[in-house]
Amino acid sequence: MSLKRNILDLRKRKEKVLQGGGEKAIQKQVAMGKLTARERVTSILDEDSFHEYDLFVEHEARDFGMEKKQLHGDGVIIGTGTIYGEPVCIFAQDFTVAGGSLGLMHARKITKIMDHALKMRVPLIGINDSGGARIQEGVNSLAGYGEIFFRNTLASGVIPQLSVILGPCAGGAVYSPALTDFVFVVENISKMFITGPEVIKTVLGEEISMEELGGARVHSEITGNAHFYAQSEYECFEQIKKLLTFIPWHNGKKAKAFPPKPPKPEFKIEEIVPADPTQPYDIRNVIKAISDDSDFFEIMENFAKNIVIGFGRMNGETVGFVANQPMVLAGVLDCDSSDKAARFIRYCDSFNIPIVTLEDMPGYLPGVDQEHMGVIRHGAKILYAYSEATVPKITVIIRKAYGGGYIAMNSRHMKADFMFAWPTAEIAVMGPEGAANIIFRKEIMAAEDPDAMRKEKVAEYKEKFANPYVAAAKGYIDTVIEPEETRNMLLHSIEVSNHKVDRRPQKKHGIPPF
């Protein structure tokens, strides 16, 4: 009878704690168009796979009346489960309990599951929905954040870390997602900012809404703080699941292989790129023409659109694509696109994912704004990332490859393993028009018909330099290929470099141009 009594007592305690902040708080959460913390966890994980830990943890605060308050689970849920049968660690802040505010025990629960994820070498998913630091706990709350940030950094490049913003994430709390690999946001639900609208109004006298200051679209399109944007929580959860099919569970292995599939027949690579080098096209169609089943999972789709990054598969193996987008700013490199590409390159390198670069761009974006924004520093990041990467690196030059942009986009000089070029490739210090105006300035000015002379000199420059054969003659290009050969050449290159070893000087770490 004693055992039965104890079991009944356990069930009653569980039932009480599982109610979180109570029925009223849950109703308020639902009224805001949000799922509860437990609904979110169970929606992401495989059915019946969630195992919760530290269910009965309580806060230890004794100031400002906190000793009279019971906060079930201290406002956060932690545990393990599976996604597509593979184990993951997860935590979800519970806004129904004290607004999901972070106190010492709350932080200890999060750091416990973070330590577990790192030790077990499995992905960590963090669902953020919190009003911020629990002011009543003072410096203990700040200490909690610091412990989380340290572990984010420790796990970086070892296990995948995914942050899901499903409510407010303000003040110091935003720096944990910023330290993780991928950040997911949802329209009208996600809010991220260092200082909220009220503080801004008080200090600066500016009025702005939470959505305009740090909503999902702001971080997806303007700041680049978010990697994936969704219209609903359920769409967001599907994005998480799809991402996890492309990446390895830790840095000691490769991503899971899938059965190879040919590209879909509607993506005919020779029909995608216009013959006229001034005409734009969508580089994503080229990626779909060479990737398995034409499946391309784009990352940061709405930010710095002049470069495209994301995952696809070739022969069933995950590949990271980095490609200039001629449809936006002619595919130039600038501050934001350099940051976007460099971070993705470093992620692929950390997790054993080969990098395929598709190049078609006229160089770095000129202008006073870019210079003053630090394009030198930002542009150097992509140079650093490609040079540092030791995974297989393959480049295909489709059309324009001018100036510093040619070097930056994984050229042979950045130690690309394979360099291919289409016959339409133009590899030169600058575009033919600009080069002719400089080299033949005197002849053009002295000519009876300067326009005719200019056209003649532009054609002469194109003949001599704006083609792939000069670079191929010097061994900078391995071979010039027909567009239809692109997929087979890439498949062979990835297979050949499957066991690549690239030894570098021993050092603690490099010093990137942060």
Side-chain angles (χ1 to χ4, degrees), residues 30 57-58 80 110-111 123 163 177 211 217 220 227 252 298 309 324 367 388 412 451 454 483 486 489 493 505 510:
V30 173
V57 163
E58 282 282 348
T80 55
I110 293 175
T111 55
S163 292
E211 191 67 29
R217 286 189 181 274
S220 174
H227 301 82
E298 189 170 356
I309 60 171
N324 305 117
E388 180 187 46
R412 170 53 42 76
D451 288 338
R454 183 180 292 106
T486 305
M489 294 299 287
S493 301

Side-chain angles (χ1 to χ4, degrees), residues 47-226:
E47 189 174 357
D48 298 327
S49 73
F50 181 55
H51 291 71
E52 186 171 352
Y53 312 128
D54 286 354
L55 181 66
F56 300 111
V57 163
E58 282 282 348
H59 71 87
E60 296 179 346
R62 293 295 176 264
D63 297 317
F64 306 106
M66 288 296 292
E67 70 278 2
K68 300 173 185 177
K69 293 183 179 180
Q70 186 178 26
L71 305 180
H72 295 311
D74 204 25
V76 65
I77 298 165
I78 69 166
T80 55
T82 62
I83 294 179
Y84 298 128
E86 298 289 338
V88 298
C89 287
I90 192 167
F91 71 83
Q93 293 179 312
D94 188 350
F95 197 79
T96 69
V97 179
S101 58
L102 185 138
L104 182 62
M105 296 308 295
H106 180 120
R108 283 182 178 172
K109 287 181 68 173
I110 293 175
T111 55
K112 180 177 184 177
I113 201 65
M114 294 177 79
D115 289 341
H116 193 70
L118 187 57
K119 184 166 56 178
M120 302 303 173
R121 293 294 194 268
V122 298
L124 174 72
I125 301 171
I127 301 174
N128 296 263
D129 186 4
S130 168
R134 192 174 298 156
I135 299 171
Q136 297 93 326
E137 294 198 31
V139 72
N140 275 342
S141 294
L142 301 180
Y145 280 126
E147 294 288 341
I148 292 169
F149 302 160
F150 177 78
R151 284 166 174 80
N152 286 138
T153 306
L154 206 64
S156 182
V158 182
I159 57 171
Q161 298 182 83
L162 282 58
S163 292
V164 194
I165 315 299
L166 295 180
C169 182
V174 298
Y175 286 112
S176 177
L179 289 166
T180 59
D181 301 318
F182 299 104
V183 178
F184 297 77
V185 293
V186 176
E187 180 70 11
N188 296 322
I189 291 178
S190 308
K191 307 287 187 294
M192 280 199 299
F193 36 71
I194 298 295
T195 54
E198 289 302 318
V199 175
I200 290 176
K201 183 178 179 181
T202 302
V203 176
L204 300 174
E206 299 176 7
E207 291 195 21
I208 189 169
S209 69
M210 290 178 68
E211 191 67 29
E212 292 172 319
L213 178 63
R217 286 189 181 274
V218 169
H219 290 300
S220 174
E221 299 175 6
I222 300 172
T223 69
N225 290 327

Side-chain angles (χ1 to χ4, degrees), residues 413-448:
H413 325 293
M414 298 287 101
K415 298 298 177 275
D417 297 299
F418 294 95
M419 287 288 302
F420 305 121
W422 287 10
T424 50
E426 299 178 6
I427 306 167
V429 174
M430 63 172 60
E433 287 77 11
N437 285 337
I438 294 172
I439 298 171
F440 307 110
R441 180 173 172 270
K442 290 181 179 180
E443 291 95 321
I444 292 170
M445 290 179 67
E448 291 184 10

Side-chain angles (χ1 to χ4, degrees), residues 2 106 129 182 228 242 269 274 283 310 321 459 487 492 507:
S2 175
H106 180 120
D129 186 4
F182 299 104
F228 296 97
K242 183 163 185 179
I269 196 165
I283 194 66
F321 286 98
R487 176 172 162 88
H492 179 70
K507 55 185 173 181

Side-chain angles (χ1 to χ4, degrees), residues 246-248 255 311 318-320 347-355 391-392:
F246 282 102
I247 60 178
F311 296 119
T318 295
V319 170
Y347 183 86
C348 291
D349 188 45
S350 293
F351 288 95
N352 312 303
I353 299 171
I355 302 167
V391 292

